[in-house]
Amino acid sequence: FSCSYSLTADTTNVQCRFHSTAMAAQFIGRNLNDKDNGRSCKNLSEEEIEELVKHYGRKHPTSTSLETLVKTAQGELLHKHHHGHAHDHHRGHHSHHDDDVAIGTSNGAVGVDIADDDVSEAERVNIQVANFLRRELPVRLAHRIQDLSSVPYLRDMDSVKEVKDIYVQSLLQISSVPPIRTPQQEEEFARELERLYEKKHSNVLIQMAKGAYQLRKQMRKGEMVIENNVTQQQPKYGNNPQNKGKESSPLEFEQMQQCHTFLDRFYMSRIGIRVLAGQYLALREQRRNPHIDDDDYIGIICKTTSPHHAVLRAAEDATWMCQRRFGDAPEVVISGNLDLTFAYIPNHLHYILLELIKNAMRATMEKHRGGGDDDEEAYWNESDEDVPPVHVVIADGTENEDVVIKVSDEGGGIPRSHIKKIWSYLFTTASPSIQERLIAFGSG
């Protein structure tokens, strides 16, 4: 988070925060002291939900950084104060940094007093972060709900509608949480957040992939057309004579830019939400179970992440997948600065490297051993000749400000006609049968 993330708010801004919580509670029809968070959420009308989404959607999400996550976890920002809040208020300004970013106060909470002075520093950090999350997550969720409601084409896919429902329910639950003042309240919040993090939102990626697949399928069949600049599904009109003379054209790839931009925002926001929630939950687990404590880790962040070890792990997983599919796999040759370490989230690096190395292996095998993905059991040419290796180079700047990991292969390259499409979420070279099996596997 930016420097303001950890700093103190003045009384006026505290009242604004209380107003936000009271507003959410009013919509949900419960008293702030009511411990039952979820029962009355179902009683909200669509208009009330829409107003609540608009309320949080007017706020700006907080920028984040791994450095401040680490400092907050170590308690370094518990007692820092933000200067200038009162000054901005007297000038009539009320920025999102004043209302949404500052999470720390002299007693470690977010504009609230901790009820018990006999609270450890670790518990104060937990309360600090929990209060920040109960205000920050509804803002991020609201922005995504608004996007899911307005994105062309994708918003009509059933699986995308299901994702929107998940986000709406999560917004209602988190926004109804009152200010957290005790370790017991923080414990309750953590349990609820863990349920959302581990269960309710765990399938969102698969659901969004389903939505993209459904849209690609309709485009491929020519079922998505543009009628007078309005996108429609072809079966709605069919060969109805009343529609004769209407200008229509199949939906083309180039017309999907709004979907691409939306998916960029959606996935970036999802990463941010899961980093915030995952860091908080991982920190609590480390403190509750000292036997799993690792000096290299602060929550989900490893202070000594090794790209060399990450490449080795990703290559091992990709090799297993490639051998299972093709019966063989290219060697992975790693070179460069193999002793380099830096602070990062290892699971994120592993995911990125796995995708790159897996794709490089697949392209290499298809190029040099023949066959294809169209058939359930593709035929592969047997050969005693080794396939070319996949090369991975790890390089960093002289002061370790930048780390570059280069993956190269001899898989034949990318057709020139695909260059403009390769960064699209809606483009893939995998056959429809492969896509269907992947979607079915993810659903199971």
Side-chain angles (χ1 to χ4, degrees):
F1 315 142
S2 64
C3 61
S4 301
Y5 152 59
S6 62
L7 307 176
T8 305
D10 61 21
T11 304
T12 303
N13 289 326
V14 169
Q15 291 174 348
C16 291
R17 291 195 183 97
F18 278 18
H19 172 71
S20 299
T21 306
M23 180 178 182
Q26 181 181 4
F27 276 121
I28 295 174
R30 61 191 269 293
N31 187 280
L32 283 175
N33 295 322
D34 186 357
K35 294 183 179 179
D36 185 0
N37 284 349
R39 291 181 181 175
S40 56
C41 293
K42 298 179 181 179
N43 299 327
L44 282 175
S45 68
E46 291 185 8
E47 292 77 13
E48 288 173 325
I49 293 175
E50 184 177 353
E51 285 301 315
L52 188 62
V53 170
K54 286 181 180 179
H55 167 73
Y56 283 106
R58 284 191 287 266
K59 300 175 180 289
H60 296 281
T62 303
S63 60
T64 63
S65 76
L66 295 185
E67 180 183 7
T68 311
L69 282 174
V70 170
K71 288 183 177 180
T72 301
Q74 294 175 327
E76 295 181 22
L77 306 179
L78 270 176
H79 306 293
K80 292 185 179 291
H81 296 267
H82 183 50
H83 302 289
H85 283 200
H87 179 60
D88 286 341
H89 172 66
H90 290 312
R91 290 185 304 169
H93 294 286
H94 186 63
S95 71
H96 73 279
H97 284 288
D98 292 333
D99 185 39
D100 288 323
V101 183
I103 75 165
T105 67
S106 57
N107 63 7
V110 184
V112 299
D113 293 325
I114 293 180
D116 187 357
D117 291 334
D118 188 21
V119 174
S120 68
E121 183 173 293
E123 290 173 327
R124 290 177 185 273
V125 170
N126 288 344
I127 292 174
Q128 178 190 36
V129 179
N131 274 300
F132 172 75
L133 291 179
R134 74 173 177 82
R135 291 178 13 261
E136 176 67 15
L137 293 183
V139 175
R140 294 178 179 237
L141 292 169
H143 280 268
R144 299 292 67 79
I145 292 168
Q146 291 175 328
D147 267 356
L148 288 163
S149 300
S150 60
V151 59
Y153 323 127
L154 277 172
R155 67 184 174 194
D156 298 320
M157 304 298 112
D158 290 339
S159 59
V160 176
K161 293 178 181 178
E162 292 175 10
V163 171
K164 178 185 171 183
D165 289 340
I166 291 173
Y167 274 57
V168 168
Q169 290 303 314
S170 299
L171 169 62
L172 294 175
Q173 288 177 259
I174 297 175
S175 64
S176 66
V177 176
I180 298 168
R181 295 186 172 90
T182 69
Q184 292 72 28
Q185 291 174 333
E186 185 271 330
E187 176 74 26
E188 292 178 8
F189 174 78
R191 282 200 299 266
E192 180 64 21
L193 184 63
E194 185 174 17
R195 189 185 70 81
L196 294 175
Y197 180 82
E198 297 291 348
K199 296 180 180 180
K200 206 164 189 177
H201 284 255
S202 61
N203 208 37
V204 163
L205 285 180
I206 296 297
Q207 292 297 95
M208 293 302 295
K210 278 185 180 180
Y213 171 74
Q214 291 165 357
L215 181 56
R216 276 196 299 263
K217 188 175 182 179
Q218 291 187 6
M219 291 172 60
R220 205 163 44 238
K221 292 182 177 180
E223 295 176 355
M224 296 290 287
V225 299
I226 296 180
E227 301 277 1
N228 297 328
N229 295 323
V230 178
T231 306
Q232 300 283 357
Q233 291 185 327
Q234 182 70 18
K236 183 174 181 179
Y237 292 110
N239 295 320
N240 191 331
Q242 294 181 356
N243 297 304
K244 188 175 182 180
K246 283 190 176 183
E247 296 183 6
S248 65
S249 61
L251 189 60
E252 297 293 338
F253 185 91
E254 289 73 14
Q255 295 165 320
M256 310 300 291
Q257 186 57 47
Q258 283 180 286
C259 285
H260 303 160
T261 304
F262 156 76
L263 288 170
D264 275 340
R265 289 195 305 268
F266 182 88
Y267 288 125
M268 286 295 291
S269 175
R270 174 179 163 80
I271 290 171
I273 289 172
R274 292 188 71 79
V275 166
L276 291 173
Q279 174 71 358
Y280 165 64
L281 295 172
L283 280 172
R284 298 187 80 261
E285 189 65 21
Q286 284 180 335
R287 288 164 180 157
R288 290 172 57 190
N289 299 287
H291 65 278
I292 65 171
D293 190 26
D294 188 334
D295 291 339
D296 288 336
Y297 274 84
I298 299 178
I300 60 175
I301 302 167
C302 179
K303 296 181 291 183
T304 57
T305 300
S306 166
H308 181 210
H309 291 163
V311 172
L312 287 174
R313 180 184 163 208
E316 182 180 357
D317 291 345
T319 297
W320 180 86
M321 297 168 71
C322 188
Q323 288 176 338
R324 185 182 179 190
R325 180 71 182 92
F326 301 108
D328 197 2
E331 179 188 5
V332 177
V333 178
I334 309 172
S335 59
N337 189 347
L338 305 186
D339 297 325
L340 172 69
T341 62
F342 58 96
Y344 205 69
I345 302 175
N347 284 344
H348 289 193
L349 188 58
H350 174 263
Y351 181 86
I352 295 167
L353 289 170
L354 176 60
E355 291 300 308
L356 292 174
I357 295 174
K358 180 182 67 176
N359 289 345
M361 286 184 171
R362 173 189 167 200
T364 301
M365 295 302 296
E366 289 179 352
K367 173 69 174 178
H368 295 275
R369 292 289 175 85
D373 283 338
D374 291 333
D375 300 325
E376 182 71 23
E377 294 294 336
Y379 171 78
W380 303 104
N381 298 324
E382 294 185 2
S383 174
D384 294 332
E385 183 179 346
D386 291 337
V387 294
V390 172
H391 290 274
V392 180
V393 181
I394 302 171
D396 69 315
T398 55
E399 296 182 0
N400 202 25
E401 291 182 353
D402 297 300
V403 178
V404 178
I405 301 176
K406 175 185 176 183
V407 179
S408 60
D409 60 68
E410 297 180 35
I414 301 171
R416 193 176 297 275
S417 60
H418 289 174
I419 293 296
K420 292 183 178 180
K421 303 178 181 181
I422 59 174
W423 299 113
S424 170
Y425 298 95
L426 304 177
F427 175 75
T428 179
T429 57
S431 69
S433 62
I434 293 291
Q435 296 176 51
E436 288 177 359
R437 290 202 298 273
L438 288 173
I439 292 296
F441 176 76
S443 301

